[in-house]
Amino acid sequence: MSNQAGSQAGNSTGERRLAVLEGVLERITYANEENGYTVARVDTGRGAGDLLTVVGALLGAQVGESLRMEGRWGSHPQYGKQFTVENYTTVLPATVQGIRRYLGSGLVKGIGPVFADRITQHFGLDTLTVIEEEPKRLIEVPGLGPKRTKKIADAWEEQKAIKEVMLFLQTVEVSTSIAVRIYKKYGDASISVVKNQPYRLAADVWGIGFLTADKIAQSVGIPHDSPERVKAGLQYALSQATDQGNCYLPEERLIADAVKLLQVDTGLVIECLAELAQVPEDGGDPGVVREKVPGPDGASEPVTAVYLVPFHRAELSLCAQLLRLLRADEDRMPGFGDVAWDKALGWLKGRTGVDLAPEQEAAVKLALTQKVAVLTGGPGCGKSFTVRSIVELARAKKARVVLAAPTGRAAKRLAELTGAEASTVHRLLELKPGGDAAYDRDRPLQADLVVVDEASMLDLLLANKLVKAVPPGAHLLFVGDVDQLPSVGAGEVLRDLLADGSPIPAVRLTRVFRQAQQSGVVTNAHRINAGQHPVTDGMKDFFLFVEDDTEAAGRLTVDVAARRIPAKFGLDPRRDVQVLAPMHRGPAGAGTLNGLLQQAVTPGRPDLAEKRFGGRVFRVGDKVTQIRNNYDKGKNGVFNGTVGVVTSLDPVDQRLTVLTDEDEEVPYEFDELDELAHAYAVTIHRSQGSEYPAVVIPVTTGAWMMLQRNLLYTAVTRAKQLVVLVGSRKAIGQAVRTVSAGRRCTALDFRLAGF
């Protein structure tokens, strides 16, 4: 390895040339996956173990690689002399020691330090040539069988191809992980797609939105006012709207959003929208669907709704399937049509030892006599006991009962409550890669009664898949608290089922039982829902730690969750205590709190395996959550909000394993780690459907825009035993007073009412 191979020197015009530095990349201290900015340490071969700090655009560089870097020398007040890299090329190592370090760094899956040593001992300076040109010869190395040899050869080829894509994408500042995804999606066609069809990336590759694709498109010369760009922008604006929960956007709002996003003329946007809505000549799907629907929030004037095709299809289908079930002639539980209810309820009391309240009786009768029904109500009102009663009576008549919930935790709770098996909706339907379900209208579930708990979490697409799979004549019961936050995905299904004019029969439980009245958690949940400030004095299970400063409130939240609650109540800070933040950003947001909580609960240790990815570090024992639906992972997909614990981390095979809350072990390649986030703290939206022994909720003025009644209500109702609020009375008052603004843009309620 040569030392600094060039230096800053003035030429005849007085300009400063870039300096050149060669060295082996020894350690990456920090890497920003979004823009490629990296802080690293390199060995320049000066001996004495001296490492030099380099900073800048080292996108895609791997530990162990020899780099030829161009840049400028400078000095940092804290870290001393350092080299700022403007561009670099990879130089293959030229010494046996360099080759061993290069191979043993984890660059190639299947080769760790042990095999790197064996391979270099066997092939010496020819090692890289053998892997490149005669990989089958690797079998000569003791311990390397045909299987591992092929794995190494494949990984080497993939690494070379990804590097080529990365170097091309480096000019537009695309992150390493996204470059890997582009390669995995398009293979050898990657560079061609990026150059010629960059807007495909936004639709095809998770993690690339329109803004990144647009940046790439501009760098490869696609005009600002290209119709291709405008159409992609319109579809992006609609997909952003679905991410915010809307199934459609009113046409005028979509046009205004697109003009603002694209900075082009309104006329061009209108023309491109008209083209998108046309059915193609080949009979395929249009880009969008336009349809007149009543305005949101009951506005008198109808609006032209613009939908992405999957959401329009799902809304029409869900409405049709619900009405089909509701009006089916056959009945898979005919015995309840003429049952002697006094006798049946008497038998039930003998089983449970408890009388049903009148509204609970009404709910039981409704679920067992109507084909589709809804049961809603707040905490402490007996929803769970009512569901148990419905299941007991149905099973007494030998009915096949199927129980499901949107999350693993909610399904476990439903199983414990009823003593019957329950699963997530995804597992129940056996979703396959790509998202198609094994069970649908042509192959329905074997069920007489289907009960879906935590139905407020059901988004439009999942609800449609589920309802399609319910056989005609079966009974379908949705159970949930309509006052909680709506689903993370698009739609407001439970609220639409309960809307005025809906043909779906429903019972709302309102009476809080005496036992539940003793609970501060239940009492305060109802107070918040009624717009009243929670009572925090003299409660054994509901506390407020007042701290007006947002940053100090964040630190106090960590102290309460990681130390005080475990010390006072004997709860495990990882398993039993959950921090629920109104938002992700800010000093008391889930992002910052996760870093602090990880330091407190799972600190780094020399003997603890870890993997640095972007700005995060993953360790064995970390509590993590999946942040997107991935139908290709696990047995039936892994879904947004699934929580688990990291159980193993293998730097050689570049993989970590997560044990999910459904007790499934799911492997993640290191280049998939941007699908995972730490879950010591999660946003309140992400906590839906889950229940925890204790929750800690930072409520600060720093989250002012997010503070709404249903947000705080949802957070409080996640707790089984204990709630601790940390923050200011002013912020709590804001949350209690503020009713969420407006309904989402959905038309399911109007379709059900037969508008």
Side-chain angles (χ1 to χ4, degrees):
M1 283 295 115
S2 68
N3 285 351
Q4 183 183 348
S7 62
Q8 294 174 352
N11 60 19
S12 57
T13 61
E15 290 177 353
R16 296 167 69 193
R17 284 206 310 265
L18 292 176
V20 176
L21 177 74
E22 291 192 0
V24 177
L25 182 59
E26 289 290 325
R27 185 166 73 246
I28 291 175
T29 309
Y30 169 81
N32 184 320
E33 289 291 321
E34 293 307 310
N35 59 22
Y37 178 81
T38 304
V39 179
R41 303 277 280 164
V42 297
D43 182 354
T44 58
R46 287 177 295 196
D50 282 350
L51 297 180
L52 179 76
T53 298
V54 297
V55 300
L58 285 168
L59 181 72
Q62 302 276 355
V63 170
E65 288 184 324
S66 298
L67 306 178
R68 186 175 191 276
M69 297 161 280
E70 292 185 331
R72 303 188 190 281
W73 289 97
S75 182
H76 187 279
Q78 188 177 348
Y79 303 111
K81 188 178 181 184
Q82 63 182 32
F83 189 78
T84 300
V85 181
E86 296 202 5
N87 52 68
Y88 78 94
T89 53
T90 305
V91 183
L92 290 176
T95 66
V96 171
Q97 185 183 355
I99 293 168
R100 184 184 301 121
R101 178 83 179 85
Y102 179 63
L103 285 180
S105 66
L107 176 73
V108 180
K109 284 181 196 173
I111 304 183
V114 173
F115 278 115
D117 193 43
R118 286 188 200 170
I119 292 167
T120 49
Q121 274 186 17
H122 190 83
F123 295 113
L125 286 172
D126 296 331
T127 296
L128 299 182
T129 308
V130 168
I131 296 175
E132 172 78 41
E133 297 173 6
E134 302 177 273
K136 288 183 178 173
R137 283 191 60 199
L138 289 170
I139 204 164
E140 298 170 19
V141 178
L144 279 183
K147 197 172 175 182
R148 192 181 284 269
T149 298
K150 183 177 186 312
K151 192 175 173 184
I152 291 169
D154 290 348
W156 181 266
E157 284 302 313
E158 183 178 74
Q159 193 61 44
K160 268 178 29 191
I162 289 172
K163 181 72 75 181
E164 188 184 352
V165 175
M166 278 179 183
L167 290 173
F168 172 71
L169 291 173
Q170 196 167 348
T171 56
V172 289
E173 296 184 347
V174 171
S175 75
T176 313
S177 58
I178 286 177
V180 170
R181 276 218 197 88
I182 290 172
Y183 176 75
K184 284 192 168 179
K185 179 71 182 175
Y186 304 116
D188 294 340
S190 297
I191 292 174
S192 169
V193 170
V194 169
K195 279 182 176 173
N196 302 313
Q197 299 170 282
Y199 291 107
R200 266 184 70 187
L201 302 174
D204 292 353
V205 182
W206 182 75
I208 297 188
F210 171 80
L211 300 180
T212 303
D214 199 33
K215 198 183 201 180
I216 295 170
Q218 286 178 40
S219 72
V220 298
I222 289 179
H224 187 71
D225 59 355
S226 151
E228 182 191 359
R229 176 175 184 265
V230 176
K231 288 176 186 175
L234 279 160
Q235 289 180 308
Y236 169 72
L238 277 177
S239 76
Q240 286 290 97
T242 62
D243 286 347
Q244 290 156 13
N246 297 301
C247 298
Y248 70 82
L249 277 185
E251 186 174 47
E252 289 179 9
R253 187 168 143 197
L254 172 61
I255 291 167
D257 287 355
V259 168
K260 188 176 173 184
L261 169 74
L262 300 165
Q263 299 292 299
V264 294
D265 290 341
T266 304
L268 178 60
V269 171
I270 291 170
E271 281 175 32
C272 289
L273 180 57
E275 286 178 31
L276 267 178
Q278 287 176 355
V279 177
E281 289 178 6
D282 63 6
D285 289 328
V288 298
V289 175
R290 292 196 291 191
E291 183 188 355
K292 284 266 194 243
V293 302
D297 286 321
S300 53
E301 288 296 311
V303 298
T304 300
V306 186
Y307 288 84
L308 290 172
V309 171
F311 295 92
H312 185 257
R313 270 205 188 127
E315 204 170 79
L316 287 176
S317 167
L318 179 55
C319 175
Q321 303 296 341
L322 284 166
L323 295 176
R324 170 181 71 94
L325 290 175
L326 192 63
R327 296 165 182 167
D329 290 331
E330 59 189 290
D331 189 343
R332 286 173 172 252
M333 294 200 297
F336 289 103
D338 55 1
V339 74
W341 283 107
D342 287 349
K343 191 176 173 185
L345 294 172
W347 174 87
L348 183 66
K349 183 182 177 182
R351 296 273 295 182
T352 63
V354 180
D355 273 318
L356 290 174
E359 53 189 22
Q360 290 179 306
E361 273 190 27
V364 168
K365 291 175 182 175
L366 193 71
L368 296 172
T369 58
Q370 295 286 336
K371 310 286 177 41
V372 184
V374 178
L375 170 61
T376 188
C381 292
K383 273 201 315 294
S384 297
F385 186 72
T386 306
V387 169
R388 181 183 156 195
S389 301
I390 291 164
V391 171
E392 287 271 10
L393 285 168
R395 289 166 76 189
K397 289 278 191 182
K398 303 289 189 285
R400 285 171 297 188
V401 180
V402 169
L403 305 171
T407 67
R409 284 183 180 229
K412 274 185 180 173
R413 199 171 66 242
L414 186 58
E416 288 163 8
L417 164 75
T418 57
E421 193 179 326
S423 69
T424 62
V425 176
H426 308 98
R427 278 186 187 276
L428 174 67
L429 300 178
E430 293 180 16
L431 292 185
K432 296 176 285 192
D436 290 332
Y439 292 94
D440 55 21
R441 189 166 178 176
D442 296 326
R443 187 195 174 200
L445 296 163
Q446 292 300 304
D448 303 318
L449 170 65
V450 178
V451 179
V452 190
D453 200 7
E454 295 288 355
S456 62
M457 291 186 68
L458 281 180
D459 61 53
L460 174 67
L461 299 182
L462 186 59
N464 180 47
K465 285 185 169 78
L466 171 67
V467 175
K468 265 189 195 172
V470 178
H475 292 224
L476 172 61
L477 176 66
F478 295 100
V479 182
D481 185 347
V482 76
D483 294 321
Q484 285 182 25
L485 289 168
S487 56
V488 174
E492 229 169 347
V493 173
L494 186 62
R495 183 158 293 180
D496 285 342
L497 295 179
L498 291 163
D500 290 343
S502 168
I504 310 295
V507 168
R508 180 165 193 150
L509 304 179
T510 56
R511 178 188 151 196
V512 181
F513 284 87
R514 188 180 296 114
Q515 187 181 352
Q517 288 171 5
Q518 314 303 313
S519 160
V521 176
V522 171
T523 302
N524 280 326
H526 285 279
R527 285 183 65 86
I528 291 164
N529 203 30
Q532 298 170 334
H533 207 283
V535 176
T536 55
D537 291 335
M539 291 282 184
K540 294 177 181 175
D541 60 354
F542 202 105
F543 301 91
L544 167 63
F545 286 77
V546 176
E547 178 51 73
D548 291 336
D549 179 75
T550 300
E551 203 164 318
R555 291 194 299 270
L556 180 54
T557 297
V558 172
D559 190 45
V560 167
R563 299 180 190 90
R564 298 194 194 191
I565 289 177
K568 184 174 173 61
F569 295 95
L571 296 173
D572 182 296
R574 189 188 288 114
R575 189 185 62 242
D576 301 328
V577 183
Q578 184 64 54
V579 173
L580 302 179
M583 57 196 291
H584 183 75
R585 293 186 178 154
T592 300
L593 295 179
N594 263 317
L596 297 172
L597 284 160
Q598 184 191 34
Q599 286 172 26
V601 178
T602 316
R605 300 195 315 260
D607 62 328
L608 190 64
E610 62 178 44
K611 166 65 181 171
R612 188 174 293 278
F613 186 89
R616 299 197 293 271
V617 179
F618 291 96
R619 299 187 180 116
V620 172
D622 268 341
K623 187 176 180 179
V624 292
T625 181
Q626 172 83 6
I627 58 172
R628 74 147 179 147
N629 288 346
N630 187 336
Y631 294 98
D632 300 328
K633 291 203 83 61
K635 190 179 172 190
N636 299 118
V638 181
F639 297 89
N640 191 350
T642 299
V643 174
V645 174
V646 178
T647 53
S648 69
L649 199 153
D650 186 337
V652 174
D653 283 336
Q654 298 178 33
R655 178 184 296 127
L656 64 74
T657 304
V658 174
L659 179 66
T660 72
D661 55 10
E662 292 181 65
D663 298 323
E664 180 180 12
E665 290 208 321
V666 179
Y668 287 80
E669 305 295 321
F670 281 176
D671 58 37
E672 298 175 312
L673 292 184
D674 52 356
E675 293 191 21
L676 287 177
H678 291 102
Y680 299 99
V682 297
T683 60
I684 295 166
H685 280 88
R686 288 198 156 273
S687 72
Q688 287 171 267
S690 293
E691 221 179 40
Y692 316 94
V695 301
V696 185
I697 311 163
V699 189
T700 68
T701 51
W704 196 257
M705 296 301 291
M706 293 295 293
L707 296 177
Q708 294 177 348
R709 187 181 298 170
N710 62 352
L711 191 83
L712 185 56
Y713 174 75
T714 299
V716 168
T717 55
R718 300 307 86 213
K720 285 194 281 192
Q721 299 168 24
L722 176 68
V723 170
V724 181
L725 304 180
V726 180
S728 72
R729 295 184 192 278
K730 183 180 178 184
I732 294 168
Q734 165 75 359
V736 168
R737 282 192 307 274
T738 308
V739 179
S740 61
R743 290 284 306 276
R744 292 177 167 187
C745 292
T746 79
L748 178 63
D749 51 349
F750 302 111
R751 296 185 196 283
L752 285 168
F755 73 94

